[in-house]
């Protein structure tokens, strides 16, 4: 079993839709959670960073962490064609060396 | 404040040559992480370094790969005697402290011919 699981997609939605992206994980020691957006042949761009459980909102993006279910989500409101990219979740543990473990990424296509 | 800088952006090496990938972290960041990405795959952790120290190299192949982050200068990922399977995008990230936000560079795309 992988430490971090993420549906690879692709996920296609119409412009203006609310997008829900998710990751599950197995290591209960993960405390730091991040979401990145990666365009083709570019480096990952940090979107959201959360510590422990709860919600965090930034513009059209909301990140949720449910540690009891080992489940994290990223919601994108009013999705735009420019949001079409691969979205990667990443997490880090407070035990061990704090390295970031990534999901495989979900490809999102927002159709105009 | 410049972001994480990686160079070269593209590198072509013949089988058996050495590849040197450089990463300059963001100003004030003393933690550097290297990842490898194959097409259509996620980021695979390779090594985590702090100034002059290797913190975690559990993702590094045991042979031909090495990394350093000297007191002065960029972090270097070195691949000796490259093989076709080393062809990939290599990304570097930096953070100011362990467990905090990590910011990525644009990567080095290594092609072994």
């Amino acid at each position: 079993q992988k430490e971090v699981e993420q549906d690879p997609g692709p996920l296609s939605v119409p412009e203006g839709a609310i997008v829900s992206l998710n990751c599950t994980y197995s290591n209960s020691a993960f405390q730091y959670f991040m979401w990145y957006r990666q365009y083709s042949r570019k480096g990952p761009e940090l979107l959201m960073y959360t510590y422990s459980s709860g919600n965090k909102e930034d513009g059209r993006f909301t990140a949720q962490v449910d540690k009891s279910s080992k489940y994290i989500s990223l919601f994108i409101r009013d999705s735009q064609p420019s949001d079409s990219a691969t979205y990667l979740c990443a997490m880090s543990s407070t035990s061990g060396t704090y390295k970031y473990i990534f999901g495989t990424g979900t490809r999102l296509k927002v159709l105009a | 404040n410049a972001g994480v800088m990686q160079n070269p952006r593209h590198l072509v090496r013949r089988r058996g040559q050495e590849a040197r990938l450089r990463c300059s972290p963001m100003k004030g960041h003393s933690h550097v992480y290297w990842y490898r990405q194959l097409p259509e795959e996620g980021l695979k952790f390779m090594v985590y370094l702090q100034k002059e120290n290797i913190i975690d190299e559990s993702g590094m192949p045991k042979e031909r790969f090495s990394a350093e982050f000297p007191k002065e200068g960029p972090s270097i990922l070195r691949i000796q005697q490259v093989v076709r399977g080393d062809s990939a995008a290599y990304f570097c990230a930096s953070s100011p402290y362990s467990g905090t936000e990590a910011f990525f560079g644009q990567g080095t795309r290594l092609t072994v011919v």
Side-chain angles (χ1 to χ4, degrees):
Chain A
Q1 182 189 10
K2 290 182 179 178
E3 279 193 283
V4 180
E5 299 274 4
Q6 188 174 7
D7 187 332
L11 176 64
S12 293
V13 300
E15 184 176 357
I18 296 175
V19 176
S20 173
L21 303 163
N22 311 293
C23 287
T24 58
Y25 61 94
S26 57
N27 186 349
S28 57
F30 285 143
Q31 289 277 11
Y32 306 97
F33 304 92
M34 284 160 286
W35 284 96
Y36 289 86
R37 177 174 62 193
Q38 186 176 26
Y39 293 111
S40 180
R41 305 188 70 76
K42 299 289 187 184
E45 172 192 2
L46 180 64
L47 291 175
M48 300 289 280
Y49 169 84
T50 53
Y51 169 70
S52 195
S53 286
N55 295 356
K56 183 175 182 179
E57 187 174 322
D58 184 0
R60 296 186 295 114
F61 299 94
T62 299
Q64 287 186 352
V65 175
D66 181 349
K67 292 193 69 185
S68 62
S69 301
K70 297 191 181 71
Y71 189 87
I72 68 171
S73 300
L74 178 71
F75 297 96
I76 307 174
R77 290 182 297 281
D78 188 25
S79 55
Q80 303 296 310
S82 59
D83 294 327
S84 299
T86 297
Y87 290 80
L88 299 152
C89 64
M91 42 201 82
S92 174
S93 169
T94 53
S95 64
T97 62
Y98 293 87
K99 66 187 178 191
Y100 304 100
I101 305 299
F102 280 79
T104 52
T106 299
R107 285 174 56 197
L108 172 67
K109 294 182 181 180
V110 180
L111 306 171
Chain B
N1 186 12
V4 178
M5 303 300 291
Q6 289 189 250
N7 64 81
R9 291 291 308 277
H10 301 275
L11 182 61
V12 179
R13 284 287 177 266
R14 295 186 183 279
R15 281 178 295 169
Q17 290 184 321
E18 178 179 290
R20 279 181 169 249
L21 288 62
R22 295 175 183 78
C23 170
S24 295
M26 289 179 70
K27 188 176 181 181
H29 289 194
S30 59
H31 299 251
V32 165
Y33 312 81
W34 285 93
Y35 288 82
R36 176 163 61 180
Q37 187 174 42
L38 293 170
E40 307 301 321
E41 292 190 12
L43 292 157
K44 302 294 185 188
F45 169 79
M46 298 183 73
V47 62
Y48 165 27
L49 310 106
Q50 205 176 346
K51 282 285 188 181
E52 300 186 273
N53 291 304
I54 296 175
I55 306 300
D56 186 332
E57 56 182 350
S58 58
M60 287 271 275
K62 292 287 186 283
E63 297 178 353
R64 302 188 298 109
F65 285 73
S66 62
E68 63 176 9
F69 188 15
K71 186 176 180 181
E72 301 292 337
S75 175
I76 306 288
L77 179 67
R78 183 182 178 204
I79 311 172
Q80 295 178 292
Q81 299 176 321
V82 296
V83 300
R84 288 233 171 96
D86 297 332
S87 296
Y90 292 83
F91 290 98
C92 158
S94 73
S95 66
Y97 308 102
S98 55
T100 56
E101 298 102 311
F103 298 90
F104 279 81
Q106 291 302 307
T108 293
R109 279 169 177 77
L110 172 65
T111 302
V112 180
V113 297

